[in-house]
């Protein structure tokens, strides 16, 4: 067994265990393997263990991998910061975007999504700690952005994504994820039917599942430490 096969199996076990421990239905948490900074052959190793969904954070690097590995068997998610001059590449190559946080970028992705493809699946990234320097829309501005994105035909709003401040305390991790969950509940009280909470990484996956994550984004626990990233 390769290290990746072994890691994949451990991560899947940890997800099932957390589902069970926190009263989540079995299979209600899906796994996004975050492959940024890792080469294509390591993605293939994970794919050979049945993994289909992969997350990339850098546009150029992600598009190269998509072009070499294809989209028949694999589903590609863009999870990194979005520069507006890179929206076309994202709209043309990815199936999901988790990091949308402003209406200008939403309009561009909508316009640039080829009509031959299904709508781009969208999560809005929320900034729960309200740190101005961090990516993500402020909670106060979330309802307006959700309405905007919801009205764009080539985008399909599925839910929310968050990257909380890193910390090792389980209860503090839970509190931050609870804020994201509450934001989704509030949006759905306005009549939306959003079904996706993209939250939880290698270090805080269990707390995220406790608070309702439907998709965890796991890099290090599957692929090991990342070689130094080359931003594109
Ligand atoms: C890199 C990254 C991850 C994966 O983080 P790990 O700690 O390696 O599991 C998840 N989400 C986002 C947005 C990332 O950039």
């Amino acid at each position: 067994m390769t290290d990746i096969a072994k890691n994949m199996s451990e991560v899947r076990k940890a997800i099932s265990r957390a589902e069970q421990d926190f009263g989540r239905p079995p299979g209600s948490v899906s796994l996004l393997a975050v492959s940024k900074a890792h080469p294509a052959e390591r993605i293939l190793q994970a794919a050979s263990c049945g993994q289909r969904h992969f997350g990339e954070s850098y546009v150029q690097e992600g598009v190269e991998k998509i072009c070499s590995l294809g989209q028949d068997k694999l589903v590609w998610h863009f999870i990194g910061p979005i520069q507006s001059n890179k929206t076309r590449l994202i709209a043309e190559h990815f199936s999901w975007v988790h990091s949308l946080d402003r209406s200008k970028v939403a309009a561009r992705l909508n316009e640039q999504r080829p009509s031959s493809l299904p709508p781009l699946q969208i999560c809005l990234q929320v900034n729960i700690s309200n740190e101005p320097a961090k990516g993500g829309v402020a909670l106060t501005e979330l309802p307006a952005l959700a309405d905007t994105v919801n009205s764009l035909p080539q985008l399909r709003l599925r839910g929310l994504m968050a990257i909380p401040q890193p910390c090792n305390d389980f209860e503090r991790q839970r509190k931050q994820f609870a804020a994201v969950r509450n934001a989704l509940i509030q949006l759905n009280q306005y009549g939306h039917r959003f079904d996706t909470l993209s939250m939880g990484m290698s270090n805080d996956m269990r707390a995220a599942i406790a608070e309702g994550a439907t998709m965890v984004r796991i890099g290090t626990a599957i692929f090991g430490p990342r070689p130094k990233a080359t931003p594109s």
Side-chain angles (χ1 to χ4, degrees), residues 6-39:
K6 186 166 152 282
N7 293 345
M8 287 285 319
S9 138
E10 299 273 316
V11 167
R12 285 182 179 140
K13 267 189 238 155
I15 291 173
S16 306
R17 207 179 311 125
E19 284 173 342
Q20 203 167 28
D21 290 349
F22 299 106
R24 305 284 313 277
S28 57
V29 180
S30 65
L31 173 58
L32 178 63
V34 176
S35 45
K36 65 175 182 218
H38 293 288

Side-chain angles (χ1 to χ4, degrees), residues 34 36 57 79 161 163 201-203 217-221 226:
V34 176
K36 65 175 182 218
S57 298
I79 62 173
M161 182 274 247
I163 311 173
M201 316 199 326
S202 297
N203 194 39
R217 308 180 309 270
I218 307 299
T220 310
R226 282 179 281 279

Side-chain angles (χ1 to χ4, degrees), residues 64-85:
E64 277 169 29
K65 289 173 183 170
I66 293 169
C67 291
S68 83
L69 299 174
Q71 314 195 44
D72 300 337
K73 300 212 175 75
L74 307 184
V75 184
W76 297 91
H77 299 235
F78 189 77
I79 62 173
I82 306 176
Q83 295 165 268
S84 38
N85 63 346

